[in-house]
Amino acid sequence: MTNLPPPAEELRILDAELRQLDVRRAVLLRRRAWLIHTLLTAAAPQPARNPGTPPEAWPTGPGAGPVARRPEATAPGVQNVLLVLGGVLLTVAAIAFTLVSWGHLGIAGRALVLGALTVAALGAPVALLRRGLGSTAEAVSGLGTALTVLDAYALHEVAFTGTDGVGYTAAASAALAALWAAYGVRLGLFHPLPLAVATAHLPLLLWAFAVGAGPHTLTAVLLATAAGGTAVALRAAPAPVRVVAVVGALGTGSVGVLSAGWLCWSASGPGTAARAAALLVVAAALALGAGRFVANREVAAGAAAAAGLCLVAGAGGVLRVSVPGEWTVPGCLACALALLAAERTPLPRPLRQGLARASAAVQGCAVLWAVPLVAGSVFGPAARAATPWSGAPRSVRDAVFTDVPPPPYASTVPLVLAVVAGVLVTAGRRTHRRPAVMVVALVLGWAAVFVLPVALQLPYTAGLVAQAAVVVAALGLAARSDRADEGPSPLALTALLLALVTSVDLAFLALASKAATIGVLVTLTVLFGAAGRRPGAAPFTAPAALGHATALACAIGASAGFTPHHTALLVLAVAAVAALIASRTGGSRATVPVEVAGGAAALLALALAVPDPPTLALVLSLCGVVAAASALRPERRAAGWAAAALFLLSAWVRLAAWDVGTPEAYTLPVTGPALAVGFLRRRRDAAVSSWTAYGAGLAATLVPSLLAAWDDQHWLRPLLLGVAALAVTLAGARQRLQAPLVLGSGVLALVALHELAPYLTQVVGALPRWAPPALAGLVLLVLGATYEQRLRDARRLREALGQLH
């Protein structure tokens, strides 16, 4: 351990060792792959090499014999393709013969040809099945089924020419379906049964069209067909038959349900609506019956949900023509709630779950129906901000829906929302998602109470009182659910947010009247201020109280006839109160929100004071006082910089208001404090450079004064600037500080150049034309001759400056 090499040498040795290990690992992996290939080849059977096998088909791996190529298609696959293609070609030929060459034969010839072909095609599979040729039997039987369709067509063209085509098609499809079903069951073939089931969906519907049935009869026929398909799907064993039956039942059943729903909801009288509703009840019974015998739980629940929706749709259609329009949705909601009674019945659990889902879907649709009124009640009062104090309207609905008409049938919206909220409260007690369910129930209950004044068209004053009561109730609920240590619960947080939304809406709603505006804002400020005493709610209620107080200050100023810049002083008082509250909260969760609200009030005060510069200067200085007071707190020391900036801006605005154009009046108030701060910082930390401590403060005055002196035609400014630059230079030289020395000497040199410029111009003008070029050439010669000495002098000057702080 005492003879370790240096770190660099040891690192080189380790890298070399790792590279050798990588090379060795690669060699071993290649050897392992070759060994595995050799073992697998030895274990596989080695067929004799065919002398006629081309060399490119021989194996190239080590130790392996010739490997036979795998066929790209299996023998059964090839057989099926050939059989299907042959059957299709024969069917096409039979169709062409029937449609094109039919007229060239007599009646006996036609019957003989088609009959012989059909009997042969249907009878051949019997012999083929005895020989074990099942695929060939399927192909030939497919040709036979196609020929039976052609036989039916030929029979109509020869013997039943005068009959109705739709009626004949219905009878022929029924006969063919029975024939194919019996044929498939007797021989055990694959395709006749699914084909028979698909064809069996046509006879009833075609018969209804043939007899000119009305829409109700057609809908009943569709439902009856769906019932038959459902029965086949539930009883049939082969999977293809079940698939065809399910698809047919879903298709005809869906069309039948949609047709019955349209008939029910477009009916003009209770009798017509009741007939369509009866069809929907039949569809619901079919769906429930299917769901009861289905093994899949999700499918059964879906069938029960469809049944529940059909029942509600039927009842709603009857109610639509039997009761006033505003009670249609509540009636549907009552039917949906009645579905929940299935929980107490002996129905299987999937069916009960499906009915509960249907009830939930209807309740969701009822809530969506209520959304337009809720949204209008929330956002409508904001339009009052464009025309404040234009006069109190007669009712709350007139105040909310000023420029747009209210939604129709709005009087029962609160009832619908309250009922759904009650159902959620009841259901939430039996679920593990109780917090989320209770939050949704709270929102719905709030919406019900919120829109109640609008729905009942209460007087304007009563509506304001009702909205204020909603705010009080929401704050009370939040206080009951408050957890001071862990923060507000989801229910309390939701209640706080609803209280905030209601308060903002109430403030906008009160803008119709001056007295209402001031009274409402005072009430809201007091309510949220009192609620802010609780630690859990303070991060929300305290800023809200300050926001309403800011609006109150603006309203008081406007009612008293103050100009905006005078109102700014009232608003600034809110910012001062916010700073006081933040200092008393002691770093709690409410401190930052309160400070943000106070800052927003201060910004509003500044915006209001902008048109009047003297008031703006006063507001800036007062904001600086508030910021300086905040900086007294240890955790807000940084606010001191904001206070300094505000005081400086206040001084500048005041000077601008006095039409002061001297730049030193603006820069000296910056230079003095900046130099004082730099001096104190260098006393605490001697390592701070002079550029950091004094550079910004000196440049703030010297640079603007130099720019002003450059265009100044008088002698006083350059003189004072030169004296100041000389004093700065001497101070920098005495204290060996780089920033004062460089800035002072540079400004002094530029001031001297500015003062000597007229005289230099006169001297240059008095010299002959050749003198300046000659003088320049002489200077270049001297510099060139002493080039190395000048470099050494420049190096010494740089080193001397570098030694300064």
Side-chain angles (χ1 to χ4, degrees), residues 460-479:
Y460 177 70
T461 305
L464 295 179
V465 174
Q467 299 285 44
V470 173
V471 176
V472 173
L475 291 176
L477 179 60

Side-chain angles (χ1 to χ4, degrees), residues 28 31 104 197 261 275 328 345 368 383 406 444 458 487 512 558 582 623 638 670:
L28 294 176
R31 180 63 179 175
H104 298 289
V197 172
R275 291 174 58 193
T328 301
T345 62
L368 291 178
L444 293 178
L458 295 180
C623 289
V670 179

